[in-house]
Amino acid sequence: MEKKFSAHLIVLGFTGSIGSGCSSFANCLTDKFPGYFYCSLSKILREKAKANDMGGSIEELQSYGNKIRKENKESVLVEMLIKELEANEDFIKDVENNDIKGIVVDSIRNDGEVKTLRQLPNFYLFSIHADKSVRCERTVGEKKRFRTKEDFDKADRRDEAENISYGQQVKKCNYLADIILNNNDNVSSRNLNESIFDKLRKYIFAIEEKIRGYKIHPTTNEALMTIAYATSQSSVCLKRKVGAVIATIEESPNPQRDPLYSVISSGFNHVPIGSIPCLNNVEYGEKCYRDHLQEQQASTIKYCPKCGREIKVKFKHVCDDRIENEFTEYFRNCPKCKKEIDIPYVCEGCNSKVFSEYLLSGGKLMDMCRSLHAEENALMGISKNSDIVNGKLTLFTTTYPCNLCANKIVSAGIKKVVYSDPYTMEDARSILEGASVSVEKFEGIKSIAFFKIFD
């Protein structure tokens, strides 16, 4: 594909969680914008599953997709697509005659697929976001994709992130996206395409104009979120790099221009000054401190806390059948794939999910982190600017704030939060909205494509 026609061909990928509307956007782009050719990795997967007498349910397709990625490589579906296109003489002819200026690749679900498509010079990845409650409402019910909310939750958890390199990795794909589009709107089917078209056209225009050599400019939100992402790269956290920026934003005297802004403070997640980061801390094995605490606690659980049955767990890690470990190795990294090992151990006596139910997790575990969060570091910087007017500050963060940071944001008098990560903490949302803090999901061109499009 690269040798034959990639020099000028635009390739637009689409990813998104179940029910986000990813395919609706991909189909609309093909219908509404002349010269774009629609392709679907899910269609390839379904056809291959059918040819091998496999079922067509979401769970069966997820498992079959994992199987063929494991047997080949993570990008196998993309490579199948490329071979199909290269063998399509009509398609090649239309590309050479400039009747086709781009292809749309729908249903990207593994970061290996993104990395392969990144090798093409004009590839851009759209990530379609929608709140979980909205996605659930769209897909659960009679004659919909799932019969119950429990069925949706199970598929959605698997879709978001499996602890195997060849599994469903939509969370990683979302992070790697160039452009974020929000799709919480509840519009009738009659107006759906028009609504999506309105969201898409700005970005399709930007990409096409960039390729033609025209100069375009970022919005205030795009510029500030890129600063937040740049700031996050200073973090040495072993889990996730987070950046935050606090800025004043005021309307421009020129109504044709974006609002004016001034950055007041910034921060990234890092241990307090003078402390040794987890990366260099030999005291607990140069690993995440939270993993260290969980590992210590797991090693003390010799018997099921509910029924008293002795715990005897041996397992073979998913990437290599030769690797066997005792349950005390529960939180260590696999020596082959380096992934964190996760055993969903269920007690044979009472069916309790021992490790997930009785170990520190979620918000409690977050509280044990040694680092100051990016939002906390940014908030501390406000005190150095005594002339700041309370109530005019907006905080931009790459990840939705936790509960503790939400409380501090409210106390600091910040009235607006713009976040990029699609996975929200509902308790933190309640804290912010209960204090009348406006919470806005970022939409636009991300830092990964900022200089590619705006340079």
Side-chain angles (χ1 to χ4, degrees):
M1 177 170 162
E2 189 171 359
K3 293 180 180 179
K4 288 188 176 183
F5 50 77
S6 69
H8 65 280
L9 191 69
I10 300 171
V11 181
L12 304 177
F14 281 82
T15 190
S17 300
I18 294 172
S20 63
C22 171
S23 293
S24 296
F25 275 75
N27 278 292
C28 176
L29 196 161
T30 311
D31 293 340
K32 294 284 188 178
F33 296 86
Y36 285 91
F37 185 86
Y38 177 83
C39 309
S40 171
L41 299 186
S42 287
K43 181 182 177 183
I44 293 174
L45 180 62
R46 284 194 299 270
E47 290 175 349
K48 192 165 182 64
K50 185 177 180 180
N52 286 273
D53 297 322
M54 302 293 294
S57 69
I58 289 180
E59 182 178 2
E60 289 168 324
L61 289 174
Q62 286 176 329
S63 296
Y64 187 65
N66 290 3
K67 180 177 183 293
I68 62 174
R69 280 190 289 264
K70 181 180 181 181
E71 292 174 349
N72 297 276
K73 52 184 174 179
E74 284 83 354
S75 59
V76 62
L77 291 174
V78 168
E79 294 180 3
M80 288 179 183
L81 170 62
I82 291 172
K83 287 181 181 179
E84 283 188 10
L85 292 175
E86 288 183 334
N88 187 331
E89 295 181 1
D90 291 336
F91 172 80
I92 298 294
K93 184 178 179 180
D94 286 343
V95 170
E96 292 172 347
N97 291 335
N98 293 320
D99 294 328
I100 292 178
K101 59 184 174 184
I103 64 172
V104 176
V105 183
D106 188 12
S107 303
I108 294 173
R109 315 207 78 73
N110 183 280
D111 56 316
E113 296 162 354
V114 178
K115 292 171 185 174
T116 296
L117 290 167
R118 281 265 181 247
Q119 298 173 29
L120 302 176
N122 296 318
F123 171 71
Y124 296 89
L125 180 62
F126 286 81
S127 177
I128 312 303
H129 294 183
D131 292 345
K132 186 172 182 177
S133 59
V134 174
R135 297 188 290 108
C136 181
E137 184 177 349
R138 288 173 180 166
T139 57
V140 175
E142 189 176 353
K143 296 183 180 179
K144 293 184 179 180
R145 297 170 73 180
F146 302 100
R147 289 188 302 169
T148 67
K149 182 180 181 299
E150 289 70 27
D151 292 337
F152 165 79
D153 286 338
K154 180 180 177 182
D156 191 50
R157 283 194 301 270
R158 183 177 183 183
D159 189 64
E160 177 183 321
E162 291 185 294
N163 198 28
I164 45 178
S165 61
Y166 51 82
Q168 316 294 304
Q169 300 289 352
V170 171
K171 188 171 185 176
K172 286 185 178 179
C173 294
N174 283 331
Y175 184 81
L176 293 171
D178 299 294
I179 299 166
I180 292 174
L181 294 178
N182 297 322
N183 187 33
N184 277 335
D185 298 338
N186 184 17
V187 296
S188 66
S189 57
R190 184 177 59 183
N191 298 322
L192 181 61
N193 264 11
E194 290 301 323
S195 173
I196 292 174
F197 173 73
D198 287 341
K199 285 183 174 290
L200 280 171
R201 59 182 172 183
K202 170 188 173 181
Y203 303 102
I204 303 303
F205 174 80
I207 291 168
E208 292 181 353
E209 290 298 277
K210 173 62 181 176
I211 291 171
R212 294 190 192 107
Y214 290 95
K215 180 70 175 177
I216 54 178
H217 302 278
T219 65
T220 294
N221 276 15
E222 288 169 338
L224 288 168
M225 190 59 77
T226 294
I227 296 172
Y229 270 104
T231 302
S232 75
Q233 295 310 300
S234 295
S235 172
V236 295
C237 179
L238 295 170
K239 288 292 188 182
R240 177 164 51 179
K241 298 176 184 291
V242 182
V245 166
I246 298 173
T248 59
I249 301 177
E250 296 182 4
E251 291 300 320
S252 170
N254 183 347
Q256 304 300 318
R257 298 293 300 274
D258 247 25
L260 303 175
Y261 66 88
S262 177
V263 174
I264 302 302
S265 181
S266 63
F268 55 89
N269 54 323
H270 194 59
V271 295
I273 294 174
S275 300
I276 301 173
C278 299
L279 179 67
N280 308 118
N281 200 316
V282 296
E283 180 182 343
Y284 48 85
E286 299 180 339
K287 67 181 71 173
C288 172
Y289 182 62
R290 289 179 291 160
D291 281 358
H292 167 67
L293 292 178
Q294 281 192 316
E295 186 176 319
Q296 280 192 322
Q297 189 180 0
S299 66
T300 66
I301 303 178
K302 306 293 185 182
Y303 302 91
C304 173
K306 187 173 183 180
C307 72
R309 186 177 182 129
E310 185 178 4
I311 295 175
K312 293 182 178 179
V313 178
K314 282 192 175 183
F315 70 98
K316 295 179 180 180
H317 192 36
V318 288
C319 81
D320 193 336
D321 290 342
R322 294 170 299 172
I323 299 170
E324 295 189 3
N325 298 275
E326 298 287 348
F327 80 95
T328 51
E329 299 290 316
Y330 178 61
F331 288 100
R332 299 189 190 281
N333 290 345
C334 169
K336 182 177 179 182
C337 71
K338 308 304 180 184
K339 297 279 187 180
E340 290 179 23
I341 293 169
D342 181 15
I343 313 170
Y345 174 66
V346 177
C347 176
E348 295 178 357
C350 65
N351 292 323
S352 293
K353 296 178 180 178
V354 176
F355 292 118
S356 61
E357 291 181 8
Y358 294 100
L359 290 181
L360 285 171
S361 61
K364 292 180 181 179
L365 188 59
M366 185 70 71
D367 294 346
M368 304 301 293
C369 181
R370 296 174 60 247
S371 290
L372 288 168
H373 292 186
E375 299 92 331
E376 292 177 302
N377 279 319
L379 288 166
M380 287 193 294
I382 297 179
S383 62
K384 302 173 185 176
N385 298 276
S386 58
D387 58 338
I388 301 304
V389 178
N390 185 27
K392 288 189 176 181
L393 300 180
T394 299
L395 185 146
F396 289 78
T397 176
T398 59
T399 300
Y400 201 91
C402 70
N403 299 356
L404 295 178
C405 287
N407 284 323
K408 294 180 175 73
I409 288 167
V410 171
S411 297
I414 288 174
K415 294 302 181 184
K416 185 175 182 179
V417 172
V418 182
Y419 69 99
S420 178
D421 193 320
Y423 307 101
T424 61
M425 296 185 69
E426 291 305 320
D427 288 342
R429 182 193 289 271
S430 298
I431 292 169
L432 294 171
E433 293 182 349
S436 299
V437 175
S438 172
V439 180
E440 179 182 314
K441 178 73 184 64
F442 172 76
E443 180 172 87
I445 294 168
K446 286 181 60 182
S447 61
I448 193 171
F450 189 87
F451 293 102
K452 185 177 179 180
I453 292 178
F454 297 122
D455 185 14

